[in-house]
Amino acid sequence: MTARAADRARYDRATAHLDAPLAIVDLDAFDANADDLLRRADGKPIRVASKSVRCRALLERVLARDGFAGVMSFTLAESLWLARSGFDDVLLAYPSADRAGFAELAGDPKLASAVTVMIDDPAQLRLIDEARDGGQEVVRVCLELDTSLKLFGGRVRVGARRSPLHSPAQVADMARAVARRPGFEVVGIMAYEGHVAGVGDALAGRPLRSRAVRLMQAAARRELAERRAEVVRAVRAVAPGLEFVNGGGTGSVQFTAAEDCVTEIGAGSGLYVPRLFDNYTSFSGRPAALFAQPVVRRPGVGVVTVLGGGYPASGAAGSDRLPVPYLPEGLRYDPQEGPGEVQTPLLGSPADDLLLGDKVWFRHAKAGELCERFDTLHLVEGDAVTGTVPTYRGEGHTFL
């Protein structure tokens, strides 16, 4: 029996009393993945990206471990909810235009001390001030550095279009703009190198593409390491009380941790290890989050149909954004239909061994987005479900 077949047998036994559709988190794999992140971080604390987890119970589980500290959130509403729930160090990783949220933040000392907001434009400071509604609390600010690699005088850009702040001088100017404005304090710098951390460099069947990605990423790491250090020096000259410099992501943990100026690493997807993180030479993890769909039809030889399953992930549309049938091994989509909103036909010889009601296990393309489809996660240890916890959706929250 292969390791994957053994996992399927465990998951089927653990959930035999539960009807699909359902989602699970294998806690043994989750904890092993956390250990691997810590090993790669080499002593630097890891701030957990909540968008990749979207379950308070599992955020609490990983933050209870030595080496994990703080949350990186994705909306202001989520940040305030987490802070009210007892999370005392929440970094909002994206700018916000949530005026009601800013009024709440500026009017509550507990929230203002727990939540740090992201800034990359003076207009964002004005928006916050206009939203204060009398609140006088100092708003903690993090400046985001654009990490993209610019080549040929800027004519070629590699990396996500995020912050407009690219040079040390631009970031320092933004820090001075914050310092001149009462009611704000610069406490951090964030630089997410998505073109390194979020792009696999070992693409199956594409050796030339994989080599090109590795060459690009090596050049990007060298350029960013030098520029990030200069940015930190420039900002510390303006804001000597700088508390943290956040960088990295699941795919670049060990590289970012090696930079002296970086004080903490951001990561989250590496806990669940969705399918987009299968294609890396620098690390491997264990799939920890899966979902099951029930077989509801047998249209013919070598074909079964499962209920639902059309859960595409965000990003540029493509087959890599689709969930993959994972267990039993050997199933594939019908290219004429793909995964459907209500039903999904699956092809392959394993289909002939599946009965109505049997579970087919899938892996999502991205990590926390799976939790937008399910209101609970069943926690599996060994071959038993040892707990069931709500996702954000299960607690009545769909922040985006």
Side-chain angles (χ1 to χ4, degrees), residues 14-28:
T15 62
H17 62 296
L18 299 171
D19 287 333
L22 58 84
I24 65 166
V25 170
D26 182 334
L27 290 181
D28 293 334

Side-chain angles (χ1 to χ4, degrees), residues 146-167 170 195 216 219-220 223-224 227:
D146 169 37
T147 65
S148 63
L149 176 65
K150 295 185 178 181
L151 304 170
F152 306 109
R155 292 190 296 276
V156 175
R157 172 196 179 102
V158 181
R161 296 183 182 276
R162 292 176 63 110
S163 170
L165 307 177
H166 187 81
S167 70
Q170 288 175 316
H195 49 303
M216 175 276 291
E223 186 277 336
L224 180 58
R227 180 159 53 91

Side-chain angles (χ1 to χ4, degrees), residues 120-135:
D120 59 29
D121 187 321
Q124 294 156 352
L125 299 174
R126 293 193 294 272
L127 186 149
I128 295 171
D129 266 343
E130 291 166 0
R132 281 180 179 271
D133 193 27

